[in-house]
CSV table of all heavy atoms in Angstrom, one decimal:
chain,number,residue,atom,x,y,z
A,3,PHE,N,-28.7,11.8,-39.7
A,3,PHE,CA,-28.7,13.2,-40.0
A,3,PHE,C,-27.6,13.5,-41.1
A,3,PHE,O,-27.9,14.2,-42.0
A,3,PHE,CB,-28.4,14.0,-38.7
A,3,PHE,CG,-28.1,15.4,-38.9
A,3,PHE,CD1,-29.2,16.3,-39.3
A,3,PHE,CD2,-26.8,16.0,-38.9
A,3,PHE,CE1,-29.0,17.6,-39.5
A,3,PHE,CE2,-26.6,17.3,-39.1
A,3,PHE,CZ,-27.7,18.2,-39.4
A,12,LEU,N,-33.0,17.5,-46.1
A,12,LEU,CA,-33.4,18.4,-45.1
A,12,LEU,C,-33.7,19.7,-45.7
A,12,LEU,O,-32.9,20.3,-46.3
A,12,LEU,CB,-32.3,18.5,-44.0
A,12,LEU,CG,-31.8,17.2,-43.4
A,12,LEU,CD1,-30.6,17.6,-42.4
A,12,LEU,CD2,-32.9,16.5,-42.7
A,14,PHE,N,-33.9,22.8,-44.8
A,14,PHE,CA,-33.0,23.9,-44.5
A,14,PHE,C,-31.6,23.4,-44.0
A,14,PHE,O,-30.9,24.2,-43.5
A,14,PHE,CB,-33.6,24.8,-43.5
A,14,PHE,CG,-34.9,25.5,-44.0
A,14,PHE,CD1,-36.1,25.0,-43.6
A,14,PHE,CD2,-34.8,26.5,-44.9
A,14,PHE,CE1,-37.3,25.6,-44.1
A,14,PHE,CE2,-36.0,27.1,-45.4
A,14,PHE,CZ,-37.2,26.7,-45.0
A,15,GLY,N,-31.4,22.1,-44.2
A,15,GLY,CA,-30.1,21.5,-43.9
A,15,GLY,C,-29.8,21.4,-42.4
A,15,GLY,O,-28.7,21.4,-41.9
A,16,GLN,N,-30.9,21.4,-41.6
A,16,GLN,CA,-30.8,21.4,-40.1
A,16,GLN,C,-32.0,20.7,-39.5
A,16,GLN,O,-32.9,20.4,-40.2
A,16,GLN,CB,-30.7,22.8,-39.6
A,16,GLN,CG,-32.0,23.6,-39.8
A,16,GLN,CD,-31.9,25.1,-39.5
A,16,GLN,OE1,-30.8,25.6,-39.6
A,16,GLN,NE2,-33.0,25.7,-39.0
A,17,LEU,N,-31.8,20.4,-38.2
A,17,LEU,CA,-32.9,19.8,-37.5
A,17,LEU,C,-33.6,20.9,-36.7
A,17,LEU,O,-33.0,22.0,-36.5
A,17,LEU,CB,-32.4,18.8,-36.5
A,17,LEU,CG,-31.7,17.6,-37.1
A,17,LEU,CD1,-31.1,16.7,-36.1
A,17,LEU,CD2,-32.6,16.8,-38.0
A,18,PRO,N,-34.8,20.8,-36.3
A,18,PRO,CA,-35.6,19.6,-36.3
A,18,PRO,C,-36.4,19.4,-37.7
A,18,PRO,O,-36.6,20.4,-38.4
A,18,PRO,CB,-36.6,19.7,-35.2
A,18,PRO,CG,-36.9,21.2,-35.1
A,18,PRO,CD,-35.5,21.8,-35.5
A,19,ILE,N,-36.8,18.2,-38.0
A,19,ILE,CA,-37.7,17.9,-39.1
A,19,ILE,C,-38.7,16.9,-38.6
A,19,ILE,O,-38.5,16.2,-37.7
A,19,ILE,CB,-36.9,17.4,-40.3
A,19,ILE,CG1,-36.2,16.2,-40.0
A,19,ILE,CG2,-36.0,18.5,-40.9
A,19,ILE,CD1,-35.7,15.4,-41.3
A,31,ALA,N,-39.9,21.3,-41.7
A,31,ALA,CA,-38.8,21.8,-40.9
A,31,ALA,C,-39.3,23.0,-40.1
A,31,ALA,O,-40.4,23.5,-40.4
A,31,ALA,CB,-37.6,22.1,-41.8
A,32,GLN,N,-38.4,23.4,-39.2
A,32,GLN,CA,-38.7,24.5,-38.3
A,32,GLN,C,-39.6,24.2,-37.1
A,32,GLN,O,-40.7,23.7,-37.3
A,32,GLN,CB,-39.2,25.8,-39.1
A,32,GLN,CG,-38.3,26.2,-40.2
A,32,GLN,CD,-36.9,26.7,-39.8
A,32,GLN,OE1,-36.5,26.6,-38.6
A,32,GLN,NE2,-36.2,27.3,-40.7
A,33,SER,N,-39.1,24.5,-36.0
A,33,SER,CA,-39.8,24.2,-34.7
A,33,SER,C,-41.2,24.7,-34.7
A,33,SER,O,-42.1,23.9,-34.3
A,33,SER,CB,-39.0,24.7,-33.5
A,33,SER,OG,-37.7,24.2,-33.4
A,36,ILE,N,-43.6,22.7,-36.9
A,36,ILE,CA,-43.8,21.4,-36.3
A,36,ILE,C,-44.7,21.5,-35.1
A,36,ILE,O,-45.7,20.7,-35.0
A,36,ILE,CB,-42.4,20.7,-36.0
A,36,ILE,CG1,-41.7,20.4,-37.3
A,36,ILE,CG2,-42.7,19.4,-35.2
A,36,ILE,CD1,-40.2,20.0,-37.1
Side-chain angles (χ1 to χ4, degrees):
F3 172 73
L12 306 176
F14 297 101
Q16 65 188 30
L17 297 176
I19 59 166
Q32 303 295 10
S33 299
I36 293 168

